[in-house]
Amino acid sequence: QPQRADFPRSTFGRPHEGMGEVKDKTGKLVVRNQSRPIGEFGGNLGCLFWIFFIPAAIYYFYGCMVLHQGRLAIPNGQFWYDLYYTLPEGIAIRPTMRATVAIVVWVVFQAAMEIFIPAKIVEGVTLKNGTRLKYPMNGLAAFLLSHAVPYALCWLGLLDPYFIWSNMGALLTVGVILAKLMALWLYIDFGLLWWRHVDDPEFEEDWGVFHVSECINDYFLGVARNPRLFHRWLKVPFDLKRFWNARPGLTLWVVANQSYIAAMYFGCRLTDGQAQCAATGDWSRVPMAAVMVAFAHWYYIFDYNWNEPAYLTTTDIRHDLFGWMLT
């Protein structure tokens, strides 16, 4: 464990002039330097705006689709009331237990595949501390299984192929809640309590919170570049940012597209405020434009997984911190 001298409890892990020295397990003094960007996206006020505006904009355009058949609408009180209360459960943006369980199962499924599927191990770029982190390259296998398992569940009658369409509103809200909670955990664990990670290979000089006055900016952008878990149990520790960017999100994007294609195939629509789908499908209901967009998205993510090692050289991995913006 890192050694701390005269650590003041009142700072809750925040370094300031009164904080004692922090040493790593070898007894070496940990020297930190605020070398990461400061004040991006408008500082605290700008980041606070984006934290509220981005989910609100997503809700608004979703509401235009389900309430007004895609027509732009004035987002007045009635608009938001109908979006939350009037629409049927699942399509409304009220969180539901079904949506919560679905997202938890999806994330756990993706994490299990990353950890347990045999993989070639590739080193990333050199960090500021001179370390090159290792990454398992099993994305293509996980991507294919992410299709095979839901398709099998649909074939067995255990899952509706249009599940995402019929639960999209609730899934959006559960996703927003999860993103905010995860970003808060990252800020506390890897930010305020940065000294707990000084012995991790991925620890760098600009990790953690430097000034609590920048809390919103740090919450939005992140306070650690490559936070990892399970160092004691895994040969290659679980990289949170690479996993979160690539597996639950990007893969779900293409699976969600296919669920919406299925909703078109079965003629799903809202009738008198209720979601209804036909018992049999008809490809004439699916426009070619939707198929082309879904295929383009699918190929984009397939290509990413086919060339997965190249992702380790991108700005996402090399420079971006892991905060609300990426959760």
Side-chain angles (χ1 to χ4, degrees):
Q1 293 295 322
Q3 303 172 7
R4 294 170 293 143
D6 301 323
F7 186 81
R9 294 182 181 179
S10 61
T11 63
F12 195 55
R14 177 173 60 90
H16 61 58
E17 295 178 357
M19 179 176 176
E21 296 177 344
V22 176
K23 299 179 181 180
D24 62 20
K25 62 184 178 182
T26 66
K28 182 180 178 181
L29 182 65
V30 176
V31 178
R32 298 169 70 236
N33 177 34
Q34 172 61 296
S35 57
R36 65 177 186 251
I38 302 174
E40 288 190 323
F41 292 89
N44 282 336
L45 289 179
C47 290
L48 184 64
F49 167 78
W50 290 114
I51 287 170
F52 285 97
F53 174 77
I54 293 174
I58 294 171
Y59 282 142
Y60 169 71
F61 289 114
Y62 174 72
C64 289
M65 292 301 300
V66 296
L67 291 171
H68 299 279
Q69 294 76 49
R71 299 186 300 271
L72 295 180
I74 297 175
N76 53 23
Q78 188 63 46
F79 176 90
W80 296 109
Y81 181 90
D82 290 341
L83 190 58
Y84 193 90
Y85 290 106
T86 304
L87 289 171
E89 184 178 275
I91 292 179
I93 61 173
R94 300 187 305 275
T96 64
M97 183 57 65
R98 175 179 293 184
T100 302
V101 171
I103 286 184
V104 170
V105 169
W106 177 256
V107 172
V108 171
F109 173 52
Q110 294 296 323
M113 287 193 293
E114 166 136 344
I115 293 172
F116 295 113
I117 292 178
K120 178 183 178 181
I121 306 301
V122 174
E123 289 187 336
V125 298
T126 304
L127 304 180
K128 293 180 180 181
N129 63 10
T131 301
R132 296 183 67 184
L133 300 178
K134 295 180 179 180
Y135 297 85
M137 297 289 104
N138 53 17
L140 185 60
F143 180 73
L144 297 177
L145 278 174
S146 296
H147 288 70
V149 172
Y151 272 69
L153 292 175
C154 292
W155 179 265
L156 295 172
L158 301 176
L159 180 70
D160 291 330
Y162 42 79
F163 175 86
I164 292 179
W165 173 84
S166 60
N167 291 275
M168 190 62 185
L171 290 169
L172 283 174
T173 298
V174 174
V176 168
I177 294 171
L178 176 60
K180 293 185 183 300
L181 291 177
M182 186 168 184
L184 179 62
W185 165 61
L186 291 168
Y187 178 79
I188 294 173
D189 192 356
F190 296 92
L192 294 174
L193 304 178
W194 60 267
W195 49 266
R196 299 173 63 249
H197 302 280
V198 297
D199 292 322
D200 296 343
E202 62 271 15
F203 183 84
E204 298 180 279
E205 64 176 12
D206 59 354
W207 266 47
V209 171
F210 285 83
H211 303 285
V212 174
S213 60
E214 300 168 354
C215 60
I216 301 177
N217 193 233
D218 283 344
Y219 172 84
F220 181 86
L221 290 172
V223 291
R225 194 161 289 105
N226 300 284
R228 292 186 159 203
L229 301 175
F230 312 134
H231 295 77
R232 297 181 181 179
W233 298 285
L234 297 180
K235 182 179 179 180
V236 177
F238 189 80
D239 191 286
L240 285 166
K241 183 177 72 172
R242 199 291 294 262
F243 167 75
W244 203 255
N245 282 1
R247 303 297 176 85
L250 292 181
T251 305
L252 181 59
W253 181 22
V254 298
V255 173
N257 283 348
Q258 293 167 37
S259 180
Y260 266 76
I261 294 291
M264 298 175 194
Y265 176 74
F266 285 101
C268 298
R269 63 184 66 249
L270 286 175
T271 304
D272 297 328
Q274 297 298 319
Q276 296 182 355
C277 299
T280 57
D282 186 346
W283 282 109
S284 66
R285 300 180 179 128
V286 183
M288 182 57 67
V291 174
M292 292 177 66
V293 168
F295 176 76
H297 291 171
W298 182 90
Y299 181 77
Y300 172 65
I301 306 307
F302 169 79
D303 181 71
Y304 155 78
N305 286 287
W306 184 269
N307 300 286
E308 191 175 17
Y311 184 55
L312 305 181
T313 67
T314 63
T315 296
D316 290 5
I317 298 296
R318 296 178 62 186
H319 302 295
D320 286 351
L321 300 161
F322 189 38
W324 185 88
M325 183 175 68
L326 293 181
T327 60

